Amino acid sequence: MVIGTPEQIAPSTEHYERIEMDPMPRSCCYGIFSDDEGEYDYSLHYFRGDPDKRIDFVLVYKEIIEDTESSGENTPIQKTGRELDAKKKRRIFEENLERKGIAVERETYDKNDGSDIKRIVYVKLHGSDKCLFEYAEHLQMKKLLKIDPMRIFRDEYKEETSWFDWKVFSSLHSGERFYKDEIWDEMKNHKISARFEQKKADRFVNFDQPGFFTTSERSYILSYILQETPFQEETKNGQKGDIGIEYLLNDDIYISWFPLHDGPYQIPSIEDKEEDEKVFLNDRQVLSMFWADWGRWFKYQPLNRVRIYFGDTVAMYFAWLGFYTKLLIFPAIVGTLVFAYDVYSVFNNEVISDVCTSLHSNHTWICSACDLCTVEPLAMYCISTYIANAFNNGGSVFFAVFISFWSAFFLEFWKRYQITLAFLWSKADFKENQEPARPEYAVTCEEDDVRYNPITLRWEPYREQSILKTMTAITVVIITVVVVIITLISIIIYKIAVYTMFQKVSGGNLKPYAQSIASVSGSILQLVAITVLSQVYAWLAEKITLWENYRTETEYQNNLTVKRFIFEFFNYYGSCFYIAFFKGNFAGYPGNYTRLFGIRLDTCGPGGCLGELAENLAIIFLGKQILNNIQELLIPVIKTWWSRKKYNKYQGGRDDKEAIAISMTTPWESDNDLAVQENLFPEYLEMVIQYGFATMFVVAFPVAPLFALLNNIVEIRLDAKKYTELFKRPIPVNCMSIGIWYTILDYMASIAIITNAFVIAFTSDFISQVLWKFDRNDSLAGYVAGHLSVFPEGDCKYWDYRDEHGKPDTYWWKLKAVQFIFVVVFEHFVFSVVRMIDLLIPDIPEKLEALIHLEDSFAREMMKEVIEIDLEKLEEMRNRVAIKKRQRLKYT
């Protein structure tokens, strides 16, 4: 086996770090492994014609050529106008890339398909140092400085541990570098960074080395260049569609674009290696071994390694997911104990005894639940009464208060952890005003559509957002919400129809299960409708947001997120809100039922709707988690299998076996077969929806945090495996936080407080039972009989507090007053404590805030010279823009 340092094996490699890994008892290094036994050849990650040029990005397109057997040559067939136009746009696009300093090399492979041969072309791109330096300055990327003025302050920085970071967590990372939480170690070793400038490049660490930009930073720069490069001979401002790779992908001029993975994820065998031999692992293999492996489920995530390889957004998502999962341990334990107490309480519950086992339960007739139904004995509602009364106790109130306080602590401590990460990743001062305009936005601006940004000290394209587009987007969102409501009404009608049918079939043998069958089947149907509508609206929301054309990528993602989340909120939680707060409350009473389109609204049985709410939550919440995990694992695998099946007959332009063998093992081909994850919205949405289920209706389903915890333990490793093994390498995006998702979580925490208060007061019978005990010396004797009103005409009873004429009795008004008082007291108490938590816990740790200001001061000192130069040109640019605007007004 031939072993050497990375520099000896492949030219122009980046700086690799030697590490010791406990699970592998041999020295391991980031680098390249290669020998004459057919192991992976890392030289394929460089241009064939110039081995000094590393492949930074790959574009893929297809074309058809004619198979001329007589001549033995492949010649192009007569192309259509569309194909000729596509070829012309590709030529112009790639020529413009070369003018910007992007080197281009092509690999061509053919596939025999009957009489024609389809050709697939891989366009390999490499960014030159000059190009990367120029765009790094334009994108205001931050790099480490050679000087280290913060070293005198760093020794004074003491490690801080949060209140939840007990010794049980410290055991998870002892002695293992890639398992532990590296944040505090990084804080101690943090060095100052500043925005890169070409004129001062010599002040930055390793500016003259090939590894100055990491692979993810190179991918980020090239992705921006690809999005702003025109593909028309003459670019006209305002002409949409003449710039950027996105439009070429939408028109199938290119079929794919992606940065290359660093190599295979499979770990090389070490069984046949000598003890003193070294095995070189690439970053992808390291993450696969120490992050995506299922056996590491109880270990910390190597967030810094994830960020270096995948970029800020992916690392921030996994940081948030890990933090959220870690804190779920507490509500999971408390919720499990509360649920155990709930189960225990049903064995000594007087209400359940009255409904299920008392002598009069079979002789007390309950009014029909539908127009075609008959009266039923009270004992028929035994199962639903068991479920509902399991949660009608003080444990539910305690857990509702606990989950509200937990949400407040979770959000507050996440803000502190988030800003710490942003500081360590040199993004603490990253603001939306510093973000460059999206190329799709910039091309729509006229020459004088600019503004001066006092933060970046640059002129940037800017125009006011169209009110018409905004109003159209709002209208579309409202229409989609209406569609969700219509779907919900359809499910309600379905439940009524199923309940009526099972009341009549099998001679009435299925009557005891009619309510449960209707509820469960309706919830399953609702889950299917949720899944289908989510896919449709995801496509619609993206199209609408692209049409609105927001200035920055952050604005675009935030508006897309808000549109989709509003829809998903109603989509997932609509049925829960209906069961909890509307079902039965507006159905009327015997002799005066409320009808919708001639159909009588459904009602809750004795004991209320809490049991049905628990069933609905369990089915949708657990069903959603199971379906999502299956979908996340199977869909990428199926897509990869299908892609490989389509391209498995491509062969190199040469006829020799060597060319065919190479074509089947090239990294651009293997990466092209992988599935695409365009953004992290599906991952965040899944977790935020889960957060809502674990907080908003936790009174009816106290084990929701436990199932969320178990799911997230799997989710972290499943998502890690997807990103390292099943997905194309994502295009890095800068960020300093989880963005608008934090605002959504904050609003959902407030909604959870209100929701739990109303569920306890109105959906459950907790307040009603407490009031009954208060009036009757702490006894529930006669509670069921006292809550059944008589309907004289039908000789039956129904669950309400009305006299024989259908008018609310005195106890009804007394109960409503107590319920509203409870809601007001509960909300004010919880909101006051949550607000106090928010005020007492600073968003930024005190010492960290001092370090942020210190770093900013040094960075501004570095920028001082450039500021003076920009200010000299400011007045001249303002005058030029004013003249352009006057000319436009004159002609318009």
Side-chain angles (χ1 to χ4, degrees), residues 85-111:
D85 182 60
K87 183 176 182 179
K88 178 181 178 182
K89 289 180 178 179
R90 280 195 298 265
R91 176 182 58 79
I92 296 173
F93 185 70
E94 292 171 16
E95 288 177 354
N96 288 332
L97 288 176
E98 290 178 322
R99 292 190 186 100
K100 292 176 180 287
I102 306 295
V104 177
E105 186 178 71
R106 297 172 184 82
E107 294 280 346
T108 303
Y109 305 105
D110 298 338
K111 177 180 178 180

mmCIF file of all heavy atoms in Angstrom, residues 85-111:
data_model
loop_
_atom_site.group_PDB
_atom_site.id
_atom_site.type_symbol
_atom_site.label_atom_id
_atom_site.label_comp_id
_atom_site.label_asym_id
_atom_site.label_seq_id
_atom_site.Cartn_x
_atom_site.Cartn_y
_atom_site.Cartn_z
ATOM 1 N N ASP A 85 -31.445 27.028 -29.337
ATOM 2 C CA ASP A 85 -31.447 28.147 -28.401
ATOM 3 C C ASP A 85 -30.784 27.751 -27.089
ATOM 4 O O ASP A 85 -30.030 28.536 -26.502
ATOM 5 C CB ASP A 85 -32.888 28.596 -28.151
ATOM 6 C CG ASP A 85 -32.958 29.800 -27.220
ATOM 7 O OD1 ASP A 85 -32.389 30.856 -27.571
ATOM 8 O OD2 ASP A 85 -33.561 29.678 -26.139
ATOM 9 N N ALA A 86 -31.049 26.530 -26.625
ATOM 10 C CA ALA A 86 -30.427 26.052 -25.395
ATOM 11 C C ALA A 86 -28.917 25.963 -25.553
ATOM 12 O O ALA A 86 -28.165 26.345 -24.645
ATOM 13 C CB ALA A 86 -31.004 24.690 -25.023
ATOM 14 N N LYS A 87 -28.464 25.456 -26.700
ATOM 15 C CA LYS A 87 -27.028 25.339 -26.930
ATOM 16 C C LYS A 87 -26.372 26.716 -26.950
ATOM 17 O O LYS A 87 -25.278 26.919 -26.405
ATOM 18 C CB LYS A 87 -26.780 24.621 -28.252
ATOM 19 C CG LYS A 87 -25.311 24.374 -28.550
ATOM 20 C CD LYS A 87 -25.128 23.563 -29.824
ATOM 21 C CE LYS A 87 -23.658 23.286 -30.094
ATOM 22 N NZ LYS A 87 -23.469 22.481 -31.330
ATOM 23 N N LYS A 88 -27.054 27.682 -27.560
ATOM 24 C CA LYS A 88 -26.518 29.043 -27.626
ATOM 25 C C LYS A 88 -26.420 29.663 -26.236
ATOM 26 O O LYS A 88 -25.401 30.278 -25.877
ATOM 27 C CB LYS A 88 -27.409 29.901 -28.521
ATOM 28 C CG LYS A 88 -26.967 31.352 -28.627
ATOM 29 C CD LYS A 88 -27.919 32.143 -29.500
ATOM 30 C CE LYS A 88 -27.512 33.608 -29.571
ATOM 31 N NZ LYS A 88 -28.462 34.408 -30.388
ATOM 32 N N LYS A 89 -27.454 29.473 -25.420
ATOM 33 C CA LYS A 89 -27.445 30.035 -24.071
ATOM 34 C C LYS A 89 -26.354 29.397 -23.220
ATOM 35 O O LYS A 89 -25.698 30.077 -22.431
ATOM 36 C CB LYS A 89 -28.818 29.857 -23.420
ATOM 37 C CG LYS A 89 -29.896 30.757 -24.018
ATOM 38 C CD LYS A 89 -31.243 30.550 -23.345
ATOM 39 C CE LYS A 89 -32.287 31.492 -23.925
ATOM 40 N NZ LYS A 89 -33.622 31.302 -23.320
ATOM 41 N N ARG A 90 -26.166 28.083 -23.384
ATOM 42 C CA ARG A 90 -25.087 27.420 -22.643
ATOM 43 C C ARG A 90 -23.728 27.970 -23.046
ATOM 44 O O ARG A 90 -22.861 28.212 -22.194
ATOM 45 C CB ARG A 90 -25.138 25.908 -22.871
ATOM 46 C CG ARG A 90 -26.158 25.172 -22.035
ATOM 47 C CD ARG A 90 -25.894 23.679 -22.034
ATOM 48 N NE ARG A 90 -25.997 23.107 -23.365
ATOM 49 C CZ ARG A 90 -27.087 22.540 -23.858
ATOM 50 N NH1 ARG A 90 -28.190 22.497 -23.129
ATOM 51 N NH2 ARG A 90 -27.097 22.020 -25.069
ATOM 52 N N ARG A 91 -23.541 28.165 -24.340
ATOM 53 C CA ARG A 91 -22.258 28.681 -24.825
ATOM 54 C C ARG A 91 -21.988 30.070 -24.253
ATOM 55 O O ARG A 91 -20.899 30.341 -23.725
ATOM 56 C CB ARG A 91 -22.256 28.733 -26.350
ATOM 57 C CG ARG A 91 -20.984 29.347 -26.940
ATOM 58 C CD ARG A 91 -21.049 29.419 -28.454
ATOM 59 N NE ARG A 91 -22.186 30.182 -28.927
ATOM 60 C CZ ARG A 91 -22.233 31.527 -28.963
ATOM 61 N NH1 ARG A 91 -21.183 32.235 -28.543
ATOM 62 N NH2 ARG A 91 -23.289 32.152 -29.413
ATOM 63 N N ILE A 92 -22.972 30.963 -24.315
ATOM 64 C CA ILE A 92 -22.797 32.323 -23.798
ATOM 65 C C ILE A 92 -22.565 32.303 -22.289
ATOM 66 O O ILE A 92 -21.700 33.010 -21.753
ATOM 67 C CB ILE A 92 -24.030 33.179 -24.148
ATOM 68 C CG1 ILE A 92 -24.160 33.327 -25.671
ATOM 69 C CG2 ILE A 92 -23.943 34.545 -23.486
ATOM 70 C CD1 ILE A 92 -25.434 34.008 -26.113
ATOM 71 N N PHE A 93 -23.342 31.468 -21.608
ATOM 72 C CA PHE A 93 -23.238 31.378 -20.151
ATOM 73 C C PHE A 93 -21.843 30.926 -19.730
ATOM 74 O O PHE A 93 -21.213 31.536 -18.849
ATOM 75 C CB PHE A 93 -24.306 30.413 -19.633
ATOM 76 C CG PHE A 93 -24.375 30.313 -18.146
ATOM 77 C CD1 PHE A 93 -24.852 31.358 -17.367
ATOM 78 C CD2 PHE A 93 -23.963 29.154 -17.494
ATOM 79 C CE1 PHE A 93 -24.925 31.260 -15.990
ATOM 80 C CE2 PHE A 93 -24.028 29.039 -16.112
ATOM 81 C CZ PHE A 93 -24.514 30.099 -15.362
ATOM 82 N N GLU A 94 -21.319 29.892 -20.367
ATOM 83 C CA GLU A 94 -20.015 29.367 -19.985
ATOM 84 C C GLU A 94 -18.885 30.299 -20.405
ATOM 85 O O GLU A 94 -17.869 30.405 -19.718
ATOM 86 C CB GLU A 94 -19.839 27.977 -20.588
ATOM 87 C CG GLU A 94 -20.773 26.944 -19.961
ATOM 88 C CD GLU A 94 -20.778 25.615 -20.691
ATOM 89 O OE1 GLU A 94 -19.849 25.379 -21.502
ATOM 90 O OE2 GLU A 94 -21.706 24.806 -20.472
ATOM 91 N N GLU A 95 -19.070 31.006 -21.519
ATOM 92 C CA GLU A 95 -18.068 32.011 -21.907
ATOM 93 C C GLU A 95 -18.027 33.149 -20.893
ATOM 94 O O GLU A 95 -16.942 33.643 -20.547
ATOM 95 C CB GLU A 95 -18.386 32.542 -23.304
ATOM 96 C CG GLU A 95 -18.103 31.546 -24.428
ATOM 97 C CD GLU A 95 -18.511 32.089 -25.794
ATOM 98 O OE1 GLU A 95 -19.119 33.187 -25.830
ATOM 99 O OE2 GLU A 95 -18.235 31.429 -26.813
ATOM 100 N N ASN A 96 -19.194 33.573 -20.400
ATOM 101 C CA ASN A 96 -19.228 34.628 -19.385
ATOM 102 C C ASN A 96 -18.598 34.165 -18.082
ATOM 103 O O ASN A 96 -17.963 34.957 -17.376
ATOM 104 C CB ASN A 96 -20.668 35.080 -19.143
ATOM 105 C CG ASN A 96 -21.226 35.895 -20.306
ATOM 106 O OD1 ASN A 96 -20.469 36.553 -21.026
ATOM 107 N ND2 ASN A 96 -22.526 35.856 -20.502
ATOM 108 N N LEU A 97 -18.772 32.895 -17.757
ATOM 109 C CA LEU A 97 -18.117 32.359 -16.564
ATOM 110 C C LEU A 97 -16.606 32.421 -16.703
ATOM 111 O O LEU A 97 -15.893 32.788 -15.758
ATOM 112 C CB LEU A 97 -18.567 30.912 -16.322
ATOM 113 C CG LEU A 97 -19.996 30.674 -15.832
ATOM 114 C CD1 LEU A 97 -20.282 29.179 -15.735
ATOM 115 C CD2 LEU A 97 -20.224 31.327 -14.483
ATOM 116 N N GLU A 98 -16.101 32.072 -17.883
ATOM 117 C CA GLU A 98 -14.658 32.108 -18.103
ATOM 118 C C GLU A 98 -14.128 33.537 -18.022
ATOM 119 O O GLU A 98 -13.009 33.759 -17.541
ATOM 120 C CB GLU A 98 -14.326 31.485 -19.452
ATOM 121 C CG GLU A 98 -14.557 29.968 -19.479
ATOM 122 C CD GLU A 98 -14.273 29.356 -20.839
ATOM 123 O OE1 GLU A 98 -14.608 30.009 -21.860
ATOM 124 O OE2 GLU A 98 -13.716 28.249 -20.893
ATOM 125 N N ARG A 99 -14.922 34.506 -18.487
ATOM 126 C CA ARG A 99 -14.488 35.910 -18.388
ATOM 127 C C ARG A 99 -14.379 36.361 -16.930
ATOM 128 O O ARG A 99 -13.595 37.248 -16.605
ATOM 129 C CB ARG A 99 -15.474 36.811 -19.129
ATOM 130 C CG ARG A 99 -15.478 36.622 -20.640
ATOM 131 C CD ARG A 99 -16.276 37.705 -21.323
ATOM 132 N NE ARG A 99 -16.395 37.453 -22.752
ATOM 133 C CZ ARG A 99 -17.465 36.915 -23.333
ATOM 134 N NH1 ARG A 99 -18.516 36.587 -22.580
ATOM 135 N NH2 ARG A 99 -17.499 36.705 -24.630
ATOM 136 N N LYS A 100 -15.178 35.762 -16.058
ATOM 137 C CA LYS A 100 -15.128 36.120 -14.639
ATOM 138 C C LYS A 100 -13.984 35.424 -13.906
ATOM 139 O O LYS A 100 -13.770 35.672 -12.712
ATOM 140 C CB LYS A 100 -16.462 35.758 -13.971
ATOM 141 C CG LYS A 100 -17.644 36.598 -14.425
ATOM 142 C CD LYS A 100 -18.932 36.093 -13.772
ATOM 143 C CE LYS A 100 -20.131 36.907 -14.217
ATOM 144 N NZ LYS A 100 -20.139 38.246 -13.614
ATOM 145 N N GLY A 101 -13.286 34.520 -14.584
ATOM 146 C CA GLY A 101 -12.176 33.814 -13.962
ATOM 147 C C GLY A 101 -12.500 32.405 -13.540
ATOM 148 O O GLY A 101 -11.776 31.818 -12.727
ATOM 149 N N ILE A 102 -13.577 31.829 -14.092
ATOM 150 C CA ILE A 102 -13.958 30.458 -13.785
ATOM 151 C C ILE A 102 -13.413 29.543 -14.878
ATOM 152 O O ILE A 102 -13.748 29.705 -16.054
ATOM 153 C CB ILE A 102 -15.497 30.294 -13.692
ATOM 154 C CG1 ILE A 102 -16.075 31.285 -12.694
ATOM 155 C CG2 ILE A 102 -15.860 28.862 -13.330
ATOM 156 C CD1 ILE A 102 -15.643 31.064 -11.291
ATOM 157 N N ALA A 103 -12.565 28.592 -14.507
ATOM 158 C CA ALA A 103 -12.055 27.620 -15.470
ATOM 159 C C ALA A 103 -13.115 26.549 -15.735
ATOM 160 O O ALA A 103 -13.841 26.144 -14.823
ATOM 161 C CB ALA A 103 -10.783 26.973 -14.943
ATOM 162 N N VAL A 104 -13.215 26.106 -16.995
ATOM 163 C CA VAL A 104 -14.256 25.164 -17.414
ATOM 164 C C VAL A 104 -13.603 23.945 -18.076
ATOM 165 O O VAL A 104 -12.702 24.091 -18.907
ATOM 166 C CB VAL A 104 -15.246 25.827 -18.397
ATOM 167 C CG1 VAL A 104 -16.281 24.820 -18.875
ATOM 168 C CG2 VAL A 104 -15.917 27.034 -17.748
ATOM 169 N N GLU A 105 -14.056 22.768 -17.691
ATOM 170 C CA GLU A 105 -13.637 21.524 -18.335
ATOM 171 C C GLU A 105 -14.854 20.612 -18.454
ATOM 172 O O GLU A 105 -15.680 20.564 -17.544
ATOM 173 C CB GLU A 105 -12.540 20.832 -17.525
ATOM 174 C CG GLU A 105 -11.962 19.606 -18.223
ATOM 175 C CD GLU A 105 -10.849 18.961 -17.425
ATOM 176 O OE1 GLU A 105 -11.148 18.344 -16.376
ATOM 177 O OE2 GLU A 105 -9.681 19.068 -17.830
ATOM 178 N N ARG A 106 -14.970 19.891 -19.579
ATOM 179 C CA ARG A 106 -16.155 19.085 -19.842
ATOM 180 C C ARG A 106 -15.810 17.604 -19.901
ATOM 181 O O ARG A 106 -14.755 17.228 -20.382
ATOM 182 C CB ARG A 106 -16.827 19.522 -21.141
ATOM 183 C CG ARG A 106 -17.342 20.952 -21.111
ATOM 184 C CD ARG A 106 -17.821 21.420 -22.483
ATOM 185 N NE ARG A 106 -18.225 22.813 -22.448
ATOM 186 C CZ ARG A 106 -17.383 23.838 -22.528
ATOM 187 N NH1 ARG A 106 -16.075 23.601 -22.651
ATOM 188 N NH2 ARG A 106 -17.816 25.081 -22.479
ATOM 189 N N GLU A 107 -16.751 16.791 -19.421
ATOM 190 C CA GLU A 107 -16.684 15.335 -19.541
ATOM 191 C C GLU A 107 -17.950 14.895 -20.262
ATOM 192 O O GLU A 107 -19.059 15.262 -19.864
ATOM 193 C CB GLU A 107 -16.611 14.676 -18.160
ATOM 194 C CG GLU A 107 -15.348 14.976 -17.396
ATOM 195 C CD GLU A 107 -14.168 14.120 -17.833
ATOM 196 O OE1 GLU A 107 -14.395 13.117 -18.536
ATOM 197 O OE2 GLU A 107 -13.028 14.452 -17.457
ATOM 198 N N THR A 108 -17.789 14.107 -21.321
ATOM 199 C CA THR A 108 -18.923 13.685 -22.151
ATOM 200 C C THR A 108 -19.081 12.177 -22.098
ATOM 201 O O THR A 108 -18.115 11.434 -22.272
ATOM 202 C CB THR A 108 -18.720 14.124 -23.610
ATOM 203 O OG1 THR A 108 -18.538 15.543 -23.648
ATOM 204 C CG2 THR A 108 -19.917 13.755 -24.461
ATOM 205 N N TYR A 109 -20.320 11.711 -21.870
ATOM 206 C CA TYR A 109 -20.642 10.295 -21.846
ATOM 207 C C TYR A 109 -21.892 10.054 -22.681
ATOM 208 O O TYR A 109 -22.810 10.875 -22.687
ATOM 209 C CB TYR A 109 -20.864 9.796 -20.410
ATOM 210 C CG TYR A 109 -19.703 10.092 -19.499
ATOM 211 C CD1 TYR A 109 -19.779 11.104 -18.550
ATOM 212 C CD2 TYR A 109 -18.529 9.376 -19.617
ATOM 213 C CE1 TYR A 109 -18.713 11.399 -17.730
ATOM 214 C CE2 TYR A 109 -17.451 9.655 -18.801
ATOM 215 C CZ TYR A 109 -17.538 10.666 -17.856
ATOM 216 O OH TYR A 109 -16.472 10.946 -17.045
ATOM 217 N N ASP A 110 -21.923 8.922 -23.377
ATOM 218 C CA ASP A 110 -23.023 8.607 -24.288
ATOM 219 C C ASP A 110 -23.802 7.401 -23.784
ATOM 220 O O ASP A 110 -23.263 6.516 -23.129
ATOM 221 C CB ASP A 110 -22.486 8.304 -25.691
ATOM 222 C CG ASP A 110 -21.769 9.506 -26.293
ATOM 223 O OD1 ASP A 110 -22.058 10.628 -25.834
ATOM 224 O OD2 ASP A 110 -20.916 9.310 -27.174
ATOM 225 N N LYS A 111 -25.097 7.387 -24.156
ATOM 226 C CA LYS A 111 -25.968 6.277 -23.799
ATOM 227 C C LYS A 111 -26.754 5.865 -25.031
ATOM 228 O O LYS A 111 -27.449 6.678 -25.642
ATOM 229 C CB LYS A 111 -26.929 6.680 -22.685
ATOM 230 C CG LYS A 111 -27.925 5.583 -22.311
ATOM 231 C CD LYS A 111 -28.854 6.059 -21.202
ATOM 232 C CE LYS A 111 -29.875 4.997 -20.852
ATOM 233 N NZ LYS A 111 -30.787 5.451 -19.783
#
